[in-house]
Amino acid sequence: MSEIHGFAVHAAGAHLLAYKYDPGELETHEVEIKISHCGVCHSDVHLIDNDWGISKYPFIPGHEIVGTVVGVGSGVKDRTMGERVGVGWQADSCGICEWCRQGQEHLCAKSQPTCVGRNGGFADRVRVNSRFAIPIPTSLESENAAPLMCGGITVYAPLMNYGVRPSSRVGVIGIGGLGHLGVQFAKAFGAEVTAFSTSKDKEAEAKELGAHEFVNTRDTGALKKVAGSFDFLLSTVSADQDWQAYVSALRPKGTFCIVGASPSPLQIQGASLIHSQKAIAGSNTGSPHELSEMLSVAARHGVKAVTEKFAMAKANDAVTKVKKNQIRYRAVLTN
Ligand code: NAP
Ligand code: ZN
């Protein structure tokens, strides 16, 4: 097979530069995918900047990939040439641990992220274990589906796994790439949905996407006004926040679930969890099975990413806009 061309980062915080690598022989369990679209997740920005100390340079970012299968390893039985598939945060797992055998591959200790120690989707092609190449329902457009592969699953899985239902009062904090999908999925679950945002100008769009209420978190006292209101709060914000105020905004037995990676330790009074039996939780993307389920729910309920398109060669422009919180609501690179 020929070289793969993409855009790589060579040092923390550096600009992406044109880059090529030789992927070698296609392994028996792998598929090769010709990429048509790749979303820009804020996790790509964290990896580019080495915020988590796990980045391995040089690497090609990108883990919200949609494309067509153009190579199938000799041992692959689940994918075929020409199929349209998506790839998210995970490209491989051990396949034999208790978590893999339960279909919870995203919890595998040997889980391999798509662009940590390997090259991701800001490129013309990518290779992954075929188990992590997920067929895309025909009714979804590739451009709107790509952001579902990480942003979508990361908000769908906790709504599902923490039992959100029609009677639930749900708050989604941060209306960015993840949050604007979280509002749509929470509405599809039948919940009453509140959007929490620092951007006043997002109110009308958040309501169009399905939010019943909008809280401008820059307003003094805004969080106090909603004390005791929510069964489930999902924070997609990558910055430190008033954690205690959000715990206070929960109803008894409510859960505050964190999917956005904030830099500092959380400051929360233990006593504020005890009395009303509140919980703090986290959630990590989702399994291949959950990805398939999420895509079919998105197709049936009309959940789709609102996108801003960039040519692949303009990846730096997209990353800069993501850093400035100027994208409405997900940048998608196209080949
Ligand atoms: P994004 O598109 O940049 O959206 C984040 C949103 O957070 C912004 O649009 C903004 O919404 C809000 N925000 C930004 N800065 C803020 C600040 N200083 N204070 C309060 N709110 C602020 O990012 P994303 O792609 O949705 O990703 C969000 C986070 O989730 C990142 O940390 C990412 O690494 C993480 N993530 C986690 C997982 C997982 O598996 N757990 C998966 C994917 C991503 P408003 O304008 O509405 O305030
Ligand atoms: Zn992501």
Side-chain angles (χ1 to χ4, degrees):
M1 289 262 185
S2 56
E3 283 169 329
I4 293 180
H5 293 255
F7 293 87
V9 54
H10 292 256
H15 273 259
L16 298 157
L17 300 174
Y19 181 75
K20 62 183 181 190
Y21 66 100
D22 178 356
E25 290 289 307
L26 187 65
E27 304 227 7
T28 55
H29 62 277
E30 283 182 328
V31 288
E32 183 164 302
I33 298 159
K34 182 170 183 273
I35 298 168
S36 65
H37 297 79
C38 187
V40 182
C41 176
H42 210 111
S43 297
D44 291 312
V45 176
H46 292 305
L47 289 177
I48 288 169
D49 292 345
N50 201 18
D51 288 340
W52 301 328
I54 58 169
S55 306
K56 292 180 185 144
Y57 303 95
F59 74 95
I60 298 176
H63 59 272
E64 289 185 340
I65 300 167
V66 172
T68 308
V69 176
V70 292
V72 178
S74 58
V76 170
K77 298 202 176 84
D78 52 353
R79 300 279 66 87
T80 54
M81 291 291 276
E83 220 177 345
R84 187 175 62 141
V85 294
V87 174
W89 175 256
Q90 194 177 12
D92 206 352
S93 73
C94 81
I96 53 173
C97 71
E98 70 174 295
W99 303 103
C100 286
R101 288 191 192 276
Q102 280 179 37
Q104 307 249 314
E105 291 89 337
H106 61 301
L107 301 179
C108 172
K110 293 183 179 155
S111 169
Q112 287 194 15
T114 302
C115 41
V116 181
R118 39 197 309 150
N119 288 304
F122 295 3
D124 57 358
R125 287 175 289 134
V126 70
R127 289 182 183 181
V128 298
N129 185 318
S130 67
R131 291 188 284 118
F132 297 89
I134 315 294
I136 305 280
T138 47
S139 66
L140 294 177
E141 298 285 343
S142 297
E143 184 180 331
N144 309 113
L148 298 175
M149 297 308 300
C150 178
I153 189 62
T154 300
V155 293
Y156 174 84
L159 292 169
M160 186 71 201
N161 295 327
Y162 292 109
V164 169
R165 49 182 178 266
S167 60
S168 303
R169 294 157 202 193
V170 171
V172 178
I173 306 163
I175 309 303
L178 267 56
H180 92 290
L181 293 169
V183 166
Q184 294 180 62
F185 276 120
K187 185 191 173 206
F189 278 63
E192 184 179 279
V193 188
T194 298
F196 289 85
S197 175
T198 62
S199 308
K200 214 166 56 182
D201 62 297
K202 291 182 180 173
E203 175 164 0
E205 281 168 335
K207 287 185 171 165
E208 269 169 42
L209 293 170
H212 302 93
E213 301 293 336
F214 183 90
V215 174
N216 177 353
T217 53
R218 291 216 196 279
D219 284 348
T220 324
L223 293 185
K224 272 213 176 105
K225 278 190 204 146
V226 294
S229 300
F230 300 96
D231 300 296
F232 189 73
L233 285 169
L234 185 65
S235 175
T236 73
V237 173
S238 53
D240 295 329
Q241 302 163 79
D242 188 348
W243 305 110
Q244 192 63 60
Y246 282 116
V247 169
S248 301
L250 291 172
R251 284 155 47 83
K253 296 191 128 180
T255 298
F256 182 35
C257 180
I258 291 164
V259 293
S262 60
S264 318
L266 307 190
Q267 298 278 351
I268 291 164
Q269 298 281 352
S272 69
L273 302 176
I274 294 168
H275 177 67
S276 304
Q277 292 181 210
K278 296 173 179 177
I280 308 285
S283 190
N284 163 23
T285 60
S287 66
H289 169 72
E290 286 169 328
L291 274 161
S292 295
E293 182 184 287
M294 177 275 304
L295 288 169
S296 90
V297 170
R300 269 188 290 138
H301 291 268
V303 173
K304 54 182 191 181
V306 176
T307 56
E308 189 171 333
K309 218 160 52 167
F310 295 79
M312 191 62 76
K314 296 284 181 192
N316 282 307
D317 295 353
V319 168
T320 302
K321 276 191 99 172
V322 173
K323 284 187 174 179
K324 293 182 178 165
N325 193 23
Q326 285 175 346
I327 298 286
R328 300 289 186 273
Y329 284 87
R330 189 57 121 196
V332 176
L333 308 177
T334 63
N335 275 318

